[in-house]
Amino acid sequence: MSKKKNVYTVRKKRKFLLPAAIVLFFSIMFVAIISLLPNRGTYLGNTNTLGVGRSALYPFAFVDENNTLYVLKENNDLSIVDDSVYSALHDYDGGSVYYLRNNKLYSYSIEKNSRTELCTDVAEFKLMSDRQTIVCTSVDKNIRLYKFSTGKYTGLTQNPFAEISFSNENAVGKNHVLFLDNYDPMSEKRTVDLMISTESGAVTRIAEKIDPTQGFYLSEDDKYVLYYTDKTMHVCDAEGKDVFSIEGGKILKFTQQPVLLDPKTNYVSLTEETPFTYFTKETDSGIELYHFKSGKLNKIDDGIVKIVENSSTGYCFYTKTSDTSTEEDPAVDLMMSVSGTESRRIITLPAESNYIYDELQGYIYFQKPDATLSRIYVKNRSYKVIDVAQTSGALSIYKNRPFIVYKSPEDSDTFVVLDNNIVERYSENETRLYGSSTNEYLIFKKNTQGTQVVSGMTSLDLYNNGNYTRIANSVINDLIYFDKDFTSVLYITNGRMYEWKDGVSTEIKSTTNLMYVKPVTVTE
């Protein structure tokens, strides 16, 4: 019988070594890059979905009636930071609170519970989005950059103008600062030079003798600058090279819609950039509408009667006189352009109609002179009209929620069109504070007997899917703060500040008033 012969083969692995080495190399590089990214503090998320609440309640920075700055953390951990504080700013992402005291700028580390004096002679300050640079304006209008890396100033202005003020004297972008310098007091129109600086302090003159009273702006990506000279609007690049100009032109900013309630916490953007998208020019025959994109200016339409809404989502609505319009029955066509596309007609309406746009859902609401309220979903070209109410009063939005609000023309009742298409009605003695949910909100109610208010007391309850939970019998309406999910609620009653959490109220401190420190939004 023959013996079995075992044969062993050695596979050549050399051809697999190169791909493996490449994968290993890029894995190491990826880890290295990730390790260099800055650490994140409390992430605020999308502030457009908060209702009138906060994305994160803690840490909560506030100044009391004695101008003392506090920081409240979870579990009622309260720290006293400093006294005589003003102009404070809470950087959630950086874990710091910046504030002024006796014209000195301080930085307070929430984690370390310690403060550091950064610079002196500061009347105003702005934190740049890199969180490594602060734009400081002195009492005599000198503008300087403070760098954390060096702990030193870089002066920007050469000839400041302490004796006069303009509504806007500098604008901070992502990596640049736009500012005024070389004021000419002898000029008839009080002209100044417009300058731009990088975050490292390299200064370039954009234009000479501009008219600062009409404003100046920096585009979203710091790529373009807009300014005015007399009656002409100019747009140039960040080095001062002309891109286009329009005599009588105006930048079309986003529409500031009326709101039912202001948010209990207003967020501050680290950049003061303005989108350079739509521009207008008024002529004898109506308004001309232009759109700017990729360095090119295109005319959208002319003969426009009125700009109705310019939304941050790129939708621009306007009206033109309709072909069916008569003296007895004036009518307009409601038109729409989306991010500079060719405009299209949506509907013909009476000339005196009112409009409001729900940009979170894509409905344009229109209210005819007879007070009927309807809406159209503009992202579907069928433009089907949906009736909302047979009678309606003043229109507004509910901030950071996809709700449209209208008042009753007969009384002061409020109607809210929710995102689930249910219309809620409540009286003027009731206030609803929504967070991120449609089915949960805080409710203030004045103590009434019938329709009469019988005392100054205002109760506070949490509503959740048909159930009410009492938080306090008497609170100060304007001094309540909560996260978007109502995990915790801060309120003041009888001269004391409380936290309500898990059905239990805990006293924090004695106070009759407080002012929250504005948090900055996350800049991605």
Side-chain angles (χ1 to χ4, degrees):
M1 188 174 71
S2 60
K3 293 183 179 179
K4 286 185 179 180
K5 188 175 182 180
N6 294 324
V7 178
Y8 298 92
T9 59
V10 179
R11 296 178 181 176
K12 293 184 178 181
K13 296 185 178 180
R14 186 169 297 175
K15 63 180 180 180
F16 299 103
L17 292 179
L18 182 59
I22 292 174
V23 171
L24 179 61
F25 171 76
F26 281 106
S27 298
I28 294 172
M29 290 297 295
F30 177 76
V31 172
I33 291 171
I34 290 296
S35 67
L36 292 176
L37 294 177
N39 292 325
R40 290 289 187 182
T42 302
Y43 180 67
L44 294 183
N46 187 355
T47 57
N48 291 330
T49 60
L50 303 181
V52 293
R54 298 163 66 101
S55 180
L57 182 58
Y58 297 113
F60 180 76
F62 66 95
V63 177
D64 71 1
E65 65 272 24
N66 299 314
N67 296 321
T68 300
L69 174 63
Y70 295 85
V71 171
L72 176 65
K73 301 178 185 178
E74 291 188 272
N75 301 318
N76 303 326
D77 182 3
L78 183 66
S79 299
I80 303 176
V81 179
D82 207 345
D83 57 12
S84 303
V85 167
Y86 57 98
S87 299
L89 184 69
H90 184 183
D91 179 13
Y92 266 99
D93 235 14
S96 301
V97 179
Y98 299 90
Y99 63 93
L100 295 179
R101 184 180 188 274
N102 298 328
N103 292 121
K104 295 180 180 179
L105 176 62
Y106 290 85
S107 171
Y108 171 76
S109 170
I110 295 176
E111 180 180 3
K112 297 177 181 178
N113 188 24
S114 63
R115 64 182 187 271
T116 303
E117 180 184 315
L118 301 180
C119 28
T120 60
D121 188 22
V122 180
E124 298 176 0
F125 71 92
K126 296 175 181 179
L127 179 66
M128 294 192 72
S129 60
D130 66 352
R131 289 179 167 82
Q132 297 299 313
T133 311
I134 299 180
V135 181
C136 299
T137 303
S138 67
V139 176
D140 58 2
K141 302 293 183 69
N142 272 305
I143 299 177
R144 300 169 293 176
L145 298 182
Y146 175 84
K147 301 290 291 185
F148 285 97
S149 58
T150 63
K152 296 180 179 179
Y153 287 120
T154 299
L156 301 184
T157 45
Q158 300 295 321
N159 298 295
F161 40 95
E163 70 279 6
I164 191 169
S165 295
F166 298 105
S167 59
N168 185 27
E169 296 176 353
N170 62 73
V172 177
K174 284 185 173 65
N175 304 298
H176 294 80
V177 182
L178 201 59
F179 64 96
L180 302 176
D181 202 3
N182 302 322
Y183 169 63
D184 184 1
M186 303 305 293
S187 65
E188 182 180 349
K189 295 188 177 181
R190 303 191 306 177
T191 59
V192 294
D193 292 346
L194 183 62
M195 319 293 286
I196 193 169
S197 170
T198 64
E199 57 193 2
S200 62
V203 176
T204 302
R205 178 181 281 107
I206 292 293
E208 296 180 340
K209 298 185 180 303
I210 74 162
D211 180 3
T213 61
Q214 298 188 64
F216 53 89
Y217 306 95
L218 195 58
S219 70
E220 283 184 297
D221 51 7
D222 291 10
K223 191 174 182 179
Y224 300 104
V225 174
L226 184 149
Y227 64 92
Y228 295 88
T229 58
D230 198 14
K231 297 181 180 180
T232 302
M233 180 193 73
H234 303 267
V235 172
C236 64
D237 63 20
E239 295 180 354
K241 183 180 179 181
D242 291 338
V243 177
F244 70 88
S245 60
I246 304 175
E247 185 176 354
K250 297 289 183 183
I251 187 169
L252 186 60
K253 297 180 181 179
F254 296 146
T255 302
Q256 297 297 312
Q257 297 175 309
V259 297
L260 177 65
L261 293 171
D262 287 322
K264 291 300 179 181
T265 298
N266 284 298
Y267 289 82
V268 178
S269 175
L270 285 183
T271 60
E272 299 170 309
E273 301 162 321
T274 301
F276 285 17
T277 51
Y278 288 101
F279 299 87
T280 61
K281 176 182 179 179
E282 292 195 17
T283 67
D284 293 338
S285 59
I287 300 171
E288 295 178 353
L289 180 65
Y290 298 85
H291 186 265
F292 180 64
K293 184 178 181 180
S294 301
K296 294 182 179 180
L297 184 71
N298 297 310
K299 187 175 181 179
I300 301 298
D301 210 341
D302 55 22
I304 295 171
V305 175
K306 178 183 178 182
I307 303 294
V308 172
E309 290 265 1
N310 182 28
S311 167
S312 61
T313 57
Y315 285 75
C316 184
F317 301 91
Y318 60 92
T319 59
K320 299 185 69 172
T321 301
S322 174
D323 293 338
T324 63
S325 181
T326 63
E327 283 191 28
E328 297 79 19
D329 190 17
V332 294
D333 291 334
L334 177 62
M335 311 292 292
M336 176 181 71
S337 174
V338 183
S339 300
T341 58
E342 183 179 352
S343 60
R344 49 185 182 263
R345 174 187 166 278
I346 297 176
I347 192 174
T348 300
L349 294 167
E352 298 303 316
S353 298
N354 297 316
Y355 308 88
I356 195 163
Y357 181 53
D358 174 7
E359 66 178 26
L360 295 179
Q361 292 197 104
Y363 288 103
I364 183 74
Y365 285 74
F366 56 90
Q367 184 186 60
K368 294 181 179 179
D370 63 2
T372 57
L373 181 64
S374 305
R375 71 182 185 183
I376 292 175
Y377 184 62
V378 298
K379 297 180 181 181
N380 186 326
R381 292 204 179 193
S382 65
Y383 301 143
K384 180 181 178 182
V385 176
I386 302 170
D387 294 331
V388 176
Q390 292 301 310
T391 180
S392 59
L395 302 176
S396 60
I397 65 169
Y398 198 98
K399 192 69 174 177
N400 300 327
R401 292 295 296 154
F403 306 157
I404 294 297
V405 182
Y406 62 93
K407 290 290 187 177
S408 169
E410 291 86 16
D411 49 41
S412 299
D413 283 3
T414 299
F415 293 82
V416 182
V417 184
L418 303 175
D419 53 345
N420 55 14
N421 294 324
I422 294 175
V423 179
E424 294 271 354
R425 178 177 185 172
Y426 53 92
S427 76
E428 62 177 336
N429 295 320
E430 181 178 321
T431 302
R432 297 183 182 183
L433 305 180
Y434 284 91
S436 61
S437 171
T438 302
N439 301 316
E440 188 174 24
Y441 52 82
L442 291 173
I443 179 170
F444 288 104
K445 278 189 178 180
K446 294 180 182 178
N447 191 351
T448 60
Q449 190 170 11
T451 59
Q452 300 297 317
V453 177
V454 296
S455 75
M457 294 176 60
T458 303
S459 63
L460 177 63
D461 290 273
L462 177 65
Y463 171 88
N464 189 335
N465 290 313
N467 300 310
Y468 294 87
T469 300
R470 175 56 53 95
I471 294 177
N473 290 327
S474 179
V475 297
I476 301 175
N477 192 336
D478 294 332
L479 300 178
I480 178 169
Y481 304 95
F482 54 94
D483 64 275
K484 67 184 189 305
D485 300 318
F486 305 104
T487 305
S488 299
V489 179
L490 297 176
Y491 63 94
I492 291 179
T493 182
N494 299 323
R496 290 176 173 83
M497 175 182 178
Y498 289 86
E499 179 207 43
W500 180 87
K501 185 175 183 179
D502 297 329
V504 177
S505 290
T506 304
E507 182 177 344
I508 304 298
K509 71 179 296 290
S510 297
T511 186
T512 58
N513 194 7
L514 66 86
M515 181 177 64
Y516 71 92
V517 175
K518 289 184 178 181
V520 298
T521 54
V522 174
T523 304
E524 294 296 340

